[in-house]
mmCIF file of all heavy atoms in Angstrom:
data_model
loop_
_atom_site.group_PDB
_atom_site.id
_atom_site.type_symbol
_atom_site.label_atom_id
_atom_site.label_comp_id
_atom_site.label_asym_id
_atom_site.label_seq_id
_atom_site.Cartn_x
_atom_site.Cartn_y
_atom_site.Cartn_z
ATOM 1 N N TRP A 227 109.777 136.306 -15.881
ATOM 2 C CA TRP A 227 109.186 135.602 -14.795
ATOM 3 C C TRP A 227 110.298 135.186 -13.767
ATOM 4 O O TRP A 227 111.198 134.535 -14.149
ATOM 5 C CB TRP A 227 108.467 134.325 -15.208
ATOM 6 C CG TRP A 227 107.884 133.662 -14.084
ATOM 7 C CD1 TRP A 227 106.834 134.065 -13.193
ATOM 8 C CD2 TRP A 227 108.144 132.290 -13.617
ATOM 9 N NE1 TRP A 227 106.566 133.143 -12.216
ATOM 10 C CE2 TRP A 227 107.304 132.016 -12.448
ATOM 11 C CE3 TRP A 227 108.993 131.251 -14.080
ATOM 12 C CZ2 TRP A 227 107.370 130.775 -11.763
ATOM 13 C CZ3 TRP A 227 109.114 130.125 -13.351
ATOM 14 C CH2 TRP A 227 108.264 129.840 -12.217
ATOM 15 N N LYS A 228 110.132 135.582 -12.549
ATOM 16 C CA LYS A 228 111.055 135.241 -11.504
ATOM 17 C C LYS A 228 110.340 134.366 -10.484
ATOM 18 O O LYS A 228 109.359 134.918 -9.798
ATOM 19 C CB LYS A 228 111.680 136.470 -10.870
ATOM 20 C CG LYS A 228 112.545 137.297 -11.801
ATOM 21 C CD LYS A 228 113.239 138.446 -11.158
ATOM 22 C CE LYS A 228 114.076 139.204 -12.151
ATOM 23 N NZ LYS A 228 114.811 140.424 -11.541
ATOM 24 N N PRO A 229 110.658 133.160 -10.300
ATOM 25 C CA PRO A 229 110.048 132.262 -9.303
ATOM 26 C C PRO A 229 110.110 132.943 -7.901
ATOM 27 O O PRO A 229 111.023 133.529 -7.514
ATOM 28 C CB PRO A 229 110.846 131.007 -9.360
ATOM 29 C CG PRO A 229 111.448 130.975 -10.723
ATOM 30 C CD PRO A 229 111.744 132.471 -11.062
ATOM 31 N N LYS A 230 108.984 132.871 -7.247
ATOM 32 C CA LYS A 230 108.938 133.393 -5.908
ATOM 33 C C LYS A 230 108.440 132.438 -4.846
ATOM 34 O O LYS A 230 107.905 131.407 -5.187
ATOM 35 C CB LYS A 230 107.979 134.614 -5.861
ATOM 36 C CG LYS A 230 108.376 135.779 -6.788
ATOM 37 C CD LYS A 230 107.378 136.946 -6.658
ATOM 38 C CE LYS A 230 107.782 138.110 -7.587
ATOM 39 N NZ LYS A 230 106.838 139.272 -7.480
ATOM 40 N N GLY A 231 108.752 132.745 -3.685
ATOM 41 C CA GLY A 231 108.237 131.892 -2.451
ATOM 42 C C GLY A 231 108.666 130.451 -2.589
ATOM 43 O O GLY A 231 109.850 130.119 -2.827
ATOM 44 N N GLU A 232 107.694 129.525 -2.399
ATOM 45 C CA GLU A 232 107.985 128.100 -2.356
ATOM 46 C C GLU A 232 108.592 127.599 -3.690
ATOM 47 O O GLU A 232 109.476 126.727 -3.706
ATOM 48 C CB GLU A 232 106.703 127.379 -1.985
ATOM 49 C CG GLU A 232 106.880 125.838 -1.718
ATOM 50 C CD GLU A 232 106.697 125.096 -2.922
ATOM 51 O OE1 GLU A 232 106.059 125.497 -3.865
ATOM 52 O OE2 GLU A 232 107.410 123.935 -2.916
ATOM 53 N N VAL A 233 108.105 128.161 -4.843
ATOM 54 C CA VAL A 233 108.637 127.737 -6.140
ATOM 55 C C VAL A 233 110.120 128.160 -6.274
ATOM 56 O O VAL A 233 110.901 127.317 -6.648
ATOM 57 C CB VAL A 233 107.811 128.345 -7.266
ATOM 58 C CG1 VAL A 233 108.419 127.919 -8.595
ATOM 59 C CG2 VAL A 233 106.345 127.991 -7.176
ATOM 60 N N ALA A 234 110.462 129.316 -5.764
ATOM 61 C CA ALA A 234 111.851 129.768 -5.762
ATOM 62 C C ALA A 234 112.730 128.824 -5.014
ATOM 63 O O ALA A 234 113.890 128.539 -5.308
ATOM 64 C CB ALA A 234 112.013 131.141 -5.317
ATOM 65 N N GLY A 235 112.287 128.342 -3.919
ATOM 66 C CA GLY A 235 113.044 127.492 -3.046
ATOM 67 C C GLY A 235 113.420 126.188 -3.672
ATOM 68 O O GLY A 235 114.388 125.500 -3.214
ATOM 69 N N ARG A 236 112.691 125.738 -4.692
ATOM 70 C CA ARG A 236 113.044 124.513 -5.391
ATOM 71 C C ARG A 236 113.444 124.797 -6.865
ATOM 72 O O ARG A 236 113.269 124.061 -7.754
ATOM 73 C CB ARG A 236 111.965 123.490 -5.381
ATOM 74 C CG ARG A 236 110.569 124.006 -5.794
ATOM 75 C CD ARG A 236 109.429 122.989 -5.537
ATOM 76 N NE ARG A 236 108.180 123.459 -5.454
ATOM 77 C CZ ARG A 236 107.413 123.767 -6.541
ATOM 78 N NH1 ARG A 236 107.928 123.510 -7.730
ATOM 79 N NH2 ARG A 236 106.153 124.192 -6.381
ATOM 80 N N THR A 237 114.013 126.067 -6.999
ATOM 81 C CA THR A 237 114.550 126.410 -8.307
ATOM 82 C C THR A 237 115.994 126.526 -8.211
ATOM 83 O O THR A 237 116.667 126.913 -7.216
ATOM 84 C CB THR A 237 114.008 127.834 -8.721
ATOM 85 O OG1 THR A 237 112.584 127.819 -8.909
ATOM 86 C CG2 THR A 237 114.646 128.384 -9.966
ATOM 87 N N ALA A 238 116.727 126.086 -9.355
ATOM 88 C CA ALA A 238 118.189 126.148 -9.440
ATOM 89 C C ALA A 238 118.562 126.854 -10.692
ATOM 90 O O ALA A 238 118.006 126.554 -11.741
ATOM 91 C CB ALA A 238 118.812 124.688 -9.403
ATOM 92 N N THR A 239 119.514 127.804 -10.494
ATOM 93 C CA THR A 239 120.105 128.451 -11.705
ATOM 94 C C THR A 239 121.416 127.959 -11.885
ATOM 95 O O THR A 239 122.131 127.366 -10.954
ATOM 96 C CB THR A 239 120.074 129.975 -11.530
ATOM 97 O OG1 THR A 239 120.936 130.342 -10.374
ATOM 98 C CG2 THR A 239 118.686 130.561 -11.278
ATOM 99 N N VAL A 240 122.053 128.063 -13.107
ATOM 100 C CA VAL A 240 123.306 127.527 -13.463
ATOM 101 C C VAL A 240 124.199 128.544 -14.090
ATOM 102 O O VAL A 240 123.772 129.235 -14.964
ATOM 103 C CB VAL A 240 123.171 126.307 -14.380
ATOM 104 C CG1 VAL A 240 124.484 125.843 -14.914
ATOM 105 C CG2 VAL A 240 122.427 125.108 -13.726
ATOM 106 N N ARG A 241 125.394 128.586 -13.562
ATOM 107 C CA ARG A 241 126.507 129.353 -14.290
ATOM 108 C C ARG A 241 127.533 128.275 -14.707
ATOM 109 O O ARG A 241 127.675 127.257 -14.089
ATOM 110 C CB ARG A 241 127.247 130.311 -13.366
ATOM 111 C CG ARG A 241 126.494 131.404 -12.887
ATOM 112 C CD ARG A 241 127.346 132.511 -12.218
ATOM 113 N NE ARG A 241 128.262 131.895 -11.126
ATOM 114 C CZ ARG A 241 129.158 132.498 -10.561
ATOM 115 N NH1 ARG A 241 129.447 133.833 -10.804
ATOM 116 N NH2 ARG A 241 129.940 131.980 -9.618
ATOM 117 N N VAL A 242 128.159 128.560 -15.775
ATOM 118 C CA VAL A 242 129.312 127.724 -16.325
ATOM 119 C C VAL A 242 130.530 128.451 -16.173
ATOM 120 O O VAL A 242 130.708 129.517 -16.731
ATOM 121 C CB VAL A 242 129.024 127.313 -17.806
ATOM 122 C CG1 VAL A 242 130.132 126.389 -18.316
ATOM 123 C CG2 VAL A 242 127.591 126.633 -17.963
ATOM 124 N N LEU A 243 131.458 127.879 -15.426
ATOM 125 C CA LEU A 243 132.720 128.496 -15.145
ATOM 126 C C LEU A 243 133.881 127.706 -15.673
ATOM 127 O O LEU A 243 133.899 126.443 -15.764
ATOM 128 C CB LEU A 243 132.967 128.639 -13.600
ATOM 129 C CG LEU A 243 131.910 129.468 -12.776
ATOM 130 C CD1 LEU A 243 132.329 129.452 -11.343
ATOM 131 C CD2 LEU A 243 131.645 130.799 -13.359
ATOM 132 N N HIS A 244 134.891 128.429 -16.215
ATOM 133 C CA HIS A 244 136.146 127.733 -16.641
ATOM 134 C C HIS A 244 136.893 127.399 -15.364
ATOM 135 O O HIS A 244 137.361 128.229 -14.561
ATOM 136 C CB HIS A 244 136.953 128.743 -17.482
ATOM 137 C CG HIS A 244 138.168 128.109 -18.051
ATOM 138 N ND1 HIS A 244 139.367 128.795 -18.292
ATOM 139 C CD2 HIS A 244 138.396 126.845 -18.541
ATOM 140 C CE1 HIS A 244 140.260 127.976 -18.775
ATOM 141 N NE2 HIS A 244 139.719 126.860 -18.967
ATOM 142 N N ALA A 245 137.057 126.048 -15.143
ATOM 143 C CA ALA A 245 137.579 125.623 -13.863
ATOM 144 C C ALA A 245 138.913 126.234 -13.434
ATOM 145 O O ALA A 245 139.120 126.676 -12.269
ATOM 146 C CB ALA A 245 137.715 124.104 -13.844
ATOM 147 N N PRO A 246 139.912 126.299 -14.325
ATOM 148 C CA PRO A 246 141.179 126.889 -13.862
ATOM 149 C C PRO A 246 141.178 128.310 -13.480
ATOM 150 O O PRO A 246 141.976 128.755 -12.657
ATOM 151 C CB PRO A 246 142.127 126.658 -15.133
ATOM 152 C CG PRO A 246 141.487 125.563 -15.930
ATOM 153 C CD PRO A 246 139.973 125.685 -15.688
#
Side-chain angles (χ1 to χ4, degrees):
W227 181 62
K228 295 183 179 180
K230 295 181 179 180
E232 189 268 336
V233 179
R236 49 187 163 82
T237 296
T239 62
V240 171
R241 294 191 308 173
V242 180
L243 304 182
H244 186 215

